[in-house]
Amino acid sequence: MAKISVFRYDPELDSAGYFDEFDVPYRSGMTVLEALLHILEHEDGSLGFRYACRSAVCGSCAMHINGRYRLACATQVSDLGDRVVVRPLYHLPVIRDLVVDMTGFFQKYERIRPWLLNETPLGDEERRQSPEERARLDNLVECILCACCHASCPFTHTDPEYLGPALLLKLDRFYADSRDLATADRIAAADDEHGVWRCHTAYNCVEVCPKDLNPTASIARLKGAAIKRRFTGRAE
Amino acid sequence: MTSVATTSTGLIPWLLQRVTGLLLVLWVATHFIFWHFGKGGEGPLNYAVVSAQALSRGLPGYLWEMALAGLCLFHGLSGVRNIVYDYVVDKPKVAWLTPLLWAVGVCAFLLIGYHLHLFRAGH
């Protein structure tokens, strides 16, 4: 049996959150998501949590598990010791149990315009990149917007307007893209007190990213670009 | 993309915090070299030795130490401002903070300058 302690909160019934304990029959290779699904199917059908792909691609099942932000589908129960404690992501309002409200996160995401900005007419061919240009996007395109970094960052808590590490990494992804022609706009979006300057390089985002990405490096790159733009007028 | 970048950016305070931090490393090193390990540094290091070394630097030494005081004050008070702004995001609520910190910094700087001057004049 695996002991699973799960955060519970129903805003219509509870004035505060609490933990429910469950004993889940363990089998080799069981993930935390599978344990939660067992609870949902056999113990308590009211347990709320998000999941979709079960293969660490969609980012839906990001949670705080045994003191660390992880994807439930990519975390094996056997790696967590005798007791598994599951909480929702921090710094995001809890809707119910392990489900957090991502509205603010995705509103800010939309504001950075996470698509290619290029108004030159597209001919018969797609916009091509050299292997070197494509290599600049390596890793940056791997972000699955799970919000683990957002939840771990100390300043997403104190400043709700702060873009946060995930969105700044996304901004860097389009800033670095040779097909994107809105370089100055990208830097302007980052050059804001709720943008890169709010980051104090705590490295929490780097530590927790389930995809081993480095948002802090992206933020540093955008800081350098903003300084260059301010003092030379060049956005590149 | 102006919907995101609508306020003063925070670039200059961030940059000055880093620049003063780097300069502090240089200034503190020279402070120790000039005052503690410079000429006349033989024998046990005590108040008489340190004060003698400090006075031997003359006016340039005085100005150098005042620059160190200025760097320390700017770096430290800018750090206080950063901490407050990290937790009070609504800047108009703390509009008094930056003028207050400047006032504290200037007063402390003048006080340090005055006492260093008294120290030099007393010898």
Side-chain angles (χ1 to χ4, degrees):
Chain A
M1 287 286 181
K3 285 205 173 304
I4 315 277
S5 183
V6 184
F7 179 86
R8 305 302 302 270
Y9 175 65
D10 182 342
E12 291 179 4
L13 300 175
D14 307 318
S15 57
Y18 62 97
F19 284 88
D20 258 351
E21 304 277 341
F22 298 96
D23 287 322
V24 176
Y26 176 76
R27 63 163 184 76
S28 178
M30 177 183 249
T31 64
V32 173
L33 179 60
E34 286 169 329
L36 292 173
L37 284 168
H38 176 90
I39 295 168
L40 183 73
E41 288 161 6
H42 302 285
E43 310 262 349
D44 185 344
S46 70
L47 178 64
F49 58 96
R50 285 198 185 101
Y51 72 99
C53 74
R54 303 189 195 205
S55 25
V57 173
C58 72
S60 306
C61 65
M63 296 168 193
H64 188 263
I65 303 167
N66 280 28
R68 191 184 166 91
Y69 298 96
R70 316 172 201 240
L71 299 177
C73 69
T75 305
Q76 300 230 339
V77 172
S78 58
D79 292 338
L80 298 172
D82 296 338
R83 188 159 170 265
V84 179
V85 181
V86 187
R87 302 165 185 256
L89 292 178
Y90 286 16
H91 305 169
L92 292 163
V94 177
I95 295 173
R96 183 193 169 106
D97 300 337
L98 302 172
V99 181
V100 291
D101 186 355
M102 303 280 285
T103 309
F105 179 83
F106 282 110
Q107 278 173 346
K108 285 187 284 186
Y109 182 54
E110 204 173 323
R111 275 160 52 195
I112 65 165
R113 296 197 282 177
W115 53 83
L116 285 177
L117 294 172
N118 186 337
E119 300 198 345
T120 54
L122 195 59
D124 295 334
E125 288 185 339
E126 68 271 25
R127 293 192 172 95
R128 296 195 171 204
Q129 286 186 298
S130 67
E132 293 74 27
E133 287 169 338
R134 175 60 184 79
R136 287 171 63 193
L137 305 182
D138 283 353
N139 297 326
L140 297 175
V141 292
E142 304 291 334
C143 176
I144 56 174
L145 295 170
C146 64
C148 281
C149 58
H150 184 91
S152 73
C153 174
F155 300 104
T156 54
H157 175 60
T158 57
D159 180 2
E161 287 300 306
Y162 174 41
L163 289 175
L167 306 189
L168 289 169
L169 181 133
K170 275 287 175 194
L171 205 49
D172 185 34
R173 176 252 175 275
F174 289 99
Y175 166 69
D177 196 314
S178 59
R179 298 164 298 175
D180 191 284
L181 300 184
T183 311
D185 286 348
R186 300 293 185 196
I187 299 171
D191 182 9
D192 184 87
E193 68 170 317
H194 303 297
V196 289
W197 311 115
R198 183 64 71 189
C199 169
H200 293 313
T201 327
Y203 283 105
N204 286 8
C205 52
V206 179
E207 210 166 281
V208 302
C209 180
K211 293 290 182 185
D212 291 328
L213 305 181
N214 190 338
T216 305
S218 285
I219 292 169
R221 199 157 30 240
L222 290 169
K223 279 175 176 169
I227 288 170
K228 193 184 234 180
R229 174 173 162 266
R230 176 72 66 94
F231 292 108
T232 68
R234 292 209 314 268
E236 55 190 38
Chain B
M1 210 165 287
T2 49
S3 59
V4 174
T6 53
T7 55
S8 63
T9 73
L11 182 152
I12 297 296
W14 181 89
L15 195 60
L16 286 175
Q17 182 77 356
R18 267 72 191 164
V19 169
T20 52
L22 283 173
L23 288 176
L24 267 177
V25 175
L26 176 71
W27 248 261
V28 168
T30 54
H31 167 85
F32 277 109
I33 291 167
F34 288 168
W35 285 55
H36 294 201
F37 310 117
K39 59 184 175 182
E42 291 173 15
L45 193 64
N46 54 30
Y47 177 77
V49 172
V50 170
S51 58
Q53 288 180 7
L55 288 166
S56 74
R57 306 291 169 189
L59 184 63
Y62 174 74
L63 296 176
W64 194 259
E65 292 306 312
M66 286 307 294
L68 175 61
L71 283 171
C72 284
L73 285 166
F74 187 94
H75 190 75
L77 293 171
S78 167
V80 170
R81 180 180 173 276
N82 285 347
I83 292 167
V84 172
Y85 280 164
D86 279 338
Y87 292 94
V88 185
V89 177
D90 188 5
K91 273 191 172 176
K93 274 188 185 167
V94 283
W96 46 266
L97 180 68
T98 302
L100 175 72
L101 292 174
W102 269 108
V104 168
V106 168
C107 287
F109 184 75
L110 293 175
L111 205 60
I112 292 166
Y114 175 65
H115 282 284
L116 265 182
H117 170 72
L118 288 183
F119 173 72
R120 294 177 68 226
H123 287 77

